[in-house]
Amino acid sequence: MEDQWKTYNPNGSKRVIVTKELPGTKWLDILQESDCRVDVGQSRDIVSNEEIKSTIGEKCDGVIGQLTEDWNEELFEALNNAGGTAYSNYAVGYDNVSVDAASKNGIAVGNTPGVLTETTAEMAVALTYSVARRVVEADEFMRNGKYDSWLPDLFLGNRLWKKTVGVIGAGRIGSAYARMMVQGEHMDLIYYDIYQNKQLEKDVKAFAKFLESHGEEPVSITRADSIEEVLKTADVLSLHPVLNDKTFHMITGKELAMMKKDAILINVSRGPVIKEADLVEHCRNNPDFRAGLDVFEDEPEMEPGLPDLSNVTIVPHIASATRWTREGMAVLAASNVAGILNNYPAWEDEDISPFLTDDPPKAAPSIINAQADGVPSNSG
Ligand code: GLV
Ligand code: GLV
């Protein structure tokens, strides 16, 4: 086990486990400046719950964990028994974390919002253009030496300009993606969300006015009453919900059948939102339908048949993978854990950018269960 974990600041009075090496160095400084001994996992494989539990051992004050790990009741109990009070996911999504079990064990749970919004939206945009213009297929064609002659019908794709973009889940990432497509391609926007996104509506309407004032055709925004309405209308549909019982298998064969035959489906949220077997079947039977996927139902596995489909572009859950974002996520995760161990309150503003400066606030930037009874950041 020893060589699988690297220890920094061995004489720190508190002990923090970080299950994977993180980009940059600032996160480590934050933890060390808070007098933490830091044990960092060196393996590039998924760390098992058994190994996490044995590494927590008898004394562990806080953990930074990964979305590939199952942070269940057993782990939070082990952390509580080891004197721990803080856990941060190294992700904005936390469907891998049993927040209730953490609260019950008096453990604050952090996540890393704010630094990955545009970065993740950019990947959704990259996949949109890749599938619309068949970039990956064409790249493979070139590499295989098949380019013999310019041809009028070589790799015909879909035009996006002034078409309709659909977004399901208009939170931070979904609305950042919508803005990029609306402003870049003058697409009309139709979105479905249980919450009305007033700021997004205001911004799209202001953009429409701006276009009109230049004598150009305006864009529109529609909040749909049902997912069905979005499915039927969108030329491009991007999924941005959180994963929960209600959004699990939100898209099955039935929903895919409602979409336009040559629609584009993008998913950078969580794999189980789509029933992947149905998507494979649909893409096989509808060669003009295209999909761009960053996430998969049973990661790191893929549904059999998926990699054989030329109308699908697949990347390995890298939507938040820019250096700036991943270093920022590390700073936020470390600040969550250090903040709780220093007895700082939870930060209440959605804007976490002050934590990225050289003079960060004395707070834990993003604690999901700050309001739960018995959780350390709860001052009330
Ligand atoms: C990545 O998928 C994240 O939730 O941050
Ligand atoms: C994630 O940041 C979201 O709210 O979309």
Side-chain angles (χ1 to χ4, degrees):
M1 190 195 116
E2 246 87 281
D3 49 348
Q4 291 283 5
W5 296 84
K6 188 169 170 183
T7 300
Y8 298 84
N9 194 30
N11 298 322
S13 69
K14 290 165 246 174
R15 177 168 180 252
V16 171
I17 291 173
V18 181
T19 62
K20 285 271 183 287
E21 280 287 356
L22 305 176
T25 53
K26 208 170 161 198
W27 62 274
L28 193 54
D29 295 342
I30 291 167
L31 292 171
Q32 294 184 142
E33 279 159 18
S34 292
D35 197 24
C36 297
R37 166 198 163 118
V38 188
D39 291 319
V40 185
Q42 301 299 300
S43 167
R44 294 186 69 81
D45 298 328
I46 294 174
V47 184
S48 69
N49 276 26
E50 202 182 353
E51 176 159 5
I52 293 172
K53 200 172 152 182
S54 81
T55 307
I56 287 173
E58 300 195 339
K59 175 179 162 57
C60 178
D61 298 281
V63 179
I64 296 175
Q66 300 291 325
L67 57 81
T68 47
E69 298 152 8
D70 179 13
W71 278 86
N72 59 16
E73 176 130 31
E74 194 189 354
L75 285 189
F76 285 120
E77 245 169 47
L79 184 54
N80 184 16
N81 290 337
T85 53
Y87 171 80
S88 183
N89 224 28
Y90 182 72
V92 68
Y94 48 88
D95 49 278
N96 63 310
V97 180
S98 172
V99 180
D100 287 346
S103 302
K104 215 172 81 186
N105 280 285
I107 292 165
V109 175
N111 71 338
T112 64
V115 289
L116 45 66
T117 306
E118 289 77 22
T119 298
T120 304
E122 282 166 5
M123 178 56 79
V125 171
L127 287 171
T128 303
Y129 284 109
S130 295
V131 295
R133 301 305 301 276
R134 306 174 65 182
V135 173
V136 174
E137 279 177 86
D139 176 278
E140 198 181 339
F141 178 89
M142 287 298 286
R143 287 172 202 270
N144 289 333
K146 291 185 180 165
Y147 182 40
D148 296 327
S149 165
W150 190 92
L151 289 169
D153 63 350
L154 197 57
F155 290 110
L156 300 184
N158 295 22
R159 182 169 144 106
L160 300 174
W161 181 249
K162 291 184 178 170
K163 293 282 192 56
T164 298
V165 59
V167 165
I168 297 181
R172 283 169 293 217
I173 298 168
S175 51
Y177 171 81
R179 284 189 169 86
M180 291 175 189
M181 301 313 294
V182 168
Q183 293 170 3
E185 292 285 357
H186 295 197
M187 294 178 94
D188 289 323
L189 171 62
I190 178 163
Y191 79 96
Y192 177 83
D193 198 300
I194 49 173
Y195 302 105
Q196 183 182 14
N197 190 328
K198 288 189 181 145
Q199 189 62 45
L200 180 62
E201 292 184 7
K202 215 170 117 189
D203 293 349
V204 172
K205 283 174 187 162
F207 184 59
K209 272 218 172 88
F210 165 81
L211 291 174
E212 273 185 314
S213 74
H214 286 251
E216 292 186 61
E217 231 180 283
V219 291
S220 67
I221 177 162
T222 308
R223 181 180 174 205
D225 295 325
S226 66
I227 289 178
E228 195 174 324
E229 198 182 330
V230 182
L231 293 168
K232 288 180 171 161
T233 315
D235 298 297
V236 179
L237 172 59
S238 194
L239 307 174
H240 299 276
V242 295
L243 174 63
N244 57 33
D245 293 347
K246 290 201 178 70
T247 61
F248 178 81
H249 283 185
M250 183 170 79
I251 303 294
T252 68
K254 176 170 158 255
E255 285 74 28
L256 292 167
M258 292 181 198
M259 295 180 71
K260 295 182 182 178
K261 284 277 181 256
D262 64 347
I264 288 170
L265 178 66
I266 303 296
N267 189 13
V268 301
S269 63
R270 285 292 182 266
V273 164
I274 299 178
K275 192 170 176 192
E276 204 167 293
D278 287 8
L279 180 63
V280 168
E281 178 80 10
H282 188 78
C283 289
R284 195 180 280 138
N285 297 334
N286 296 276
D288 292 336
F289 187 93
R290 295 191 232 282
L293 308 174
D294 177 56
V295 288
F296 304 88
E297 187 163 354
D298 185 23
E299 288 179 32
E301 306 300 326
M302 269 187 283
E303 182 66 28
L306 186 69
D308 306 324
L309 294 166
S310 59
N311 49 344
V312 173
T313 293
I314 44 184
V315 294
H317 203 154
I318 53 171
S320 67
T322 62
R323 183 161 299 284
W324 183 88
T325 290
R326 290 284 171 86
E327 290 186 6
M329 288 165 66
V331 165
L332 291 178
S335 306
N336 281 330
V337 169
I340 296 299
L341 299 187
N342 288 327
N343 296 315
Y344 295 163
W347 183 247
E348 289 182 6
D349 196 326
E350 198 179 312
D351 177 12
I352 50 68
S353 59
F355 289 91
L356 306 176
T357 65
D358 290 334
D359 186 23
K362 289 192 182 318
S366 183
I367 302 299
I368 296 151
N369 58 348
Q371 303 307 323
D373 285 339
V375 166
S377 59
N378 180 356
S379 48

